[in-house]
Amino acid sequence: MGFVSKYFDELTTRELYEILKARAEIFVVEQKCMYNDMDDKDYDSLHFFYEDGGRVTAYLRSFFIEPNVVKMGRVLTLHHGTGMGGRLLKEGITQIREKQHPERIVIHAQCYAVGFYERAGFAVCSEPFSEEGMPHVRMELEL
């Protein structure tokens, strides 16, 4: 299983297909969230994923929302409870620091996942709000 970090234009068509397939499997099928996944932010994003046998098994993306602030999103793992999410998050943060050099990372975390992000150093900085019909909070990690 290998970790990959690429900007959009570096992705192969197979990698992009597998990323979109994994995102649909988790967010649309598993979480029953109907939303427009193709939001044009992928073009300007740095994409991080673990690949196993050609299949994307864990994924996240990051993109600038302000000059020194990166937003992380679309965080997923296909196999829950294996530690893969923690590894993805740790490696993603490392790569964001090295390739994008922001001062802060922001995420809109689903409320049930707050503890997961807190273990990586993120802190809640908002009241809960609804995003795509699911409760979220804004969290930040100062670098």
Side-chain angles (χ1 to χ4, degrees):
M1 183 174 310
F3 179 78
V4 179
S5 169
K6 292 183 175 183
Y7 285 97
F8 183 83
D9 289 337
E10 299 171 316
L11 294 170
T12 67
T13 53
R14 181 181 255 329
E15 288 168 333
L16 179 59
Y17 182 87
E18 289 298 324
I19 287 166
L20 296 174
K21 187 166 72 171
R23 287 175 11 182
E25 186 173 329
I26 296 301
F27 300 120
V28 176
V29 176
E30 182 179 302
Q31 295 183 358
K32 297 175 179 42
C33 183
M34 297 303 293
Y35 71 108
N36 185 11
D37 184 40
M38 269 49 107
D39 59 4
D40 293 329
K41 291 182 177 69
D42 286 317
Y43 293 121
D44 299 318
S45 292
L46 188 52
H47 301 267
F48 309 94
F49 53 97
Y50 277 97
E51 202 171 37
D52 187 12
R55 181 79 206 267
V56 170
T57 58
Y59 171 83
L60 67 83
R61 72 178 183 183
S62 64
F63 55 90
F64 282 94
I65 57 171
E66 295 175 24
N68 291 306
V69 181
V70 163
K71 184 173 182 185
M72 179 186 290
R74 303 289 199 266
V75 181
L76 68 87
T77 60
L78 295 184
H79 309 291
H80 308 305
T82 64
M84 178 59 64
R87 290 194 303 274
L88 173 71
L89 192 58
K90 181 180 177 183
E91 189 63 40
I93 291 168
T94 297
Q95 291 289 308
I96 287 169
R97 282 182 172 156
E98 291 176 9
K99 293 184 174 185
Q100 294 178 302
H101 313 287
E103 295 174 4
R104 182 172 11 128
I105 301 173
V106 171
I107 188 164
H108 289 179
Q110 292 182 19
C111 289
Y112 79 85
V114 165
F116 169 73
Y117 294 109
E118 285 177 332
R119 287 189 292 279
F122 284 85
V124 173
C125 59
S126 79
E127 293 296 318
F129 58 91
S130 179
E131 189 168 277
E132 306 300 340
M134 302 177 84
H136 285 70
V137 291
R138 180 182 169 111
M139 299 184 78
E140 296 182 357
L141 174 64
E142 294 293 331
L143 301 175

